[in-house]
Amino acid sequence: MKYFYFLNLHRHIRFFSIAIIILLLSSCAGNKSTGKKNDTVDTIIKTARSYIGTPYKWGGTTRAGMDCSGLLYNSFLVAGITIPRTSRDQGKYGRKVSFYQLQPGDLVFFSAKKGSPKVTHVGMVTAVKDKHNVQFIHASSSLGVVENNIYSKYYRSIFVKARRPF
C-alpha cells in the first residue's frame, strides 16, 4: 500500500514539474516580440552603418551617393519595413518620443537653422552610451554618411523632434 502511495505521489510531482516547466516556457514565449523588435533594429542599424563613408547626394539612394532620408529608407527596407521616402514625411511616421527617452532605432529630425520647426534633415539613433552621449547616423551634406553625438552643441541646437517607428 505504501508503495502505491509513493508511486502516486511521484506521478503527481512529475505532473506538477512538467506543468511548471510548460508555464515558464510559455511566459518566455511572450518576450519573443521584444527579441524580434531588437533583431529588426539591429538589422536596420547594421545596414545604415554599412553606408558610412558614402558621399552625400541630394535624392540619392545608392552607395554612389545618398541623402539623409534615402539612407533611412534603404536601411528600413532591408528589414522589410517601408517608411516614407522624404525627411518631411518620415517626420510623421511612428509615434512621438521625448529627446530624453531616445533609443536605438528612433528617428531624429533637424531643421536647417536654430529655432525653426521645419524638418529638413533626419537621422537614426544607433547607440545610447550614456545620458550625454547618444549616437545617431545620418547623411551629412558635407561629410556623407557619418555617426555623431546628438548632444553636440550644433545638433542639439537644430533638433526639432524624434519619432519611434516601432
Side-chain angles (χ1 to χ4, degrees):
M1 184 71 160
K2 283 186 181 182
Y3 173 76
F4 291 112
Y5 172 76
F6 285 113
L7 185 62
N8 203 20
L9 180 64
H10 178 69
R11 284 183 185 151
H12 282 36
I13 291 173
R14 190 169 44 175
F15 171 77
F16 285 113
S17 298
I18 291 170
I20 289 172
I21 290 170
I22 290 170
L23 265 171
L24 289 173
L25 289 175
S26 67
S27 68
C28 292
N31 293 331
K32 284 185 180 176
S33 63
T34 302
K36 183 173 169 74
K37 177 188 168 195
N38 289 340
D39 290 347
T40 301
V41 170
D42 290 346
T43 296
I44 294 167
I45 290 171
K46 183 178 177 182
T47 302
R49 283 180 170 157
S50 77
Y51 288 101
I52 288 177
T54 299
Y56 180 86
K57 180 181 179 188
W58 187 84
T61 58
T62 69
R63 293 191 186 279
M66 174 159 304
D67 68 10
C68 59
S69 58
L71 169 67
L72 299 181
Y73 178 83
N74 283 355
S75 299
F76 275 77
L77 201 56
V78 167
I81 301 169
T82 303
I83 64 172
R85 174 59 185 90
T86 66
S87 58
R88 185 187 69 212
D89 290 340
Q90 289 173 359
K92 300 170 190 169
Y93 186 81
R95 62 184 163 87
K96 239 179 174 176
V97 64
S98 162
F99 180 85
Y100 301 104
Q101 295 175 330
L102 292 172
Q103 296 175 3
D106 288 345
L107 303 179
V108 287
F109 299 90
F110 305 90
S111 64
K113 60 184 181 179
K114 185 178 180 176
S116 172
K118 184 179 177 187
V119 169
T120 60
H121 187 65
V122 62
M124 178 183 58
V125 174
T126 55
V128 178
K129 297 186 176 186
D130 62 49
K131 69 179 188 171
H132 290 30
N133 187 354
V134 175
Q135 297 294 306
F136 75 104
I137 193 165
H138 61 116
S140 160
S141 59
S142 59
L143 300 172
V145 179
V146 293
E147 280 186 83
N148 292 108
N149 184 355
I150 200 168
Y151 277 90
S152 74
K153 186 176 181 180
Y154 175 70
Y155 288 110
R156 186 68 183 106
S157 72
I158 61 169
F159 176 82
V160 174
K161 64 182 174 180
R163 308 281 296 182
R164 185 158 296 148
F166 304 99

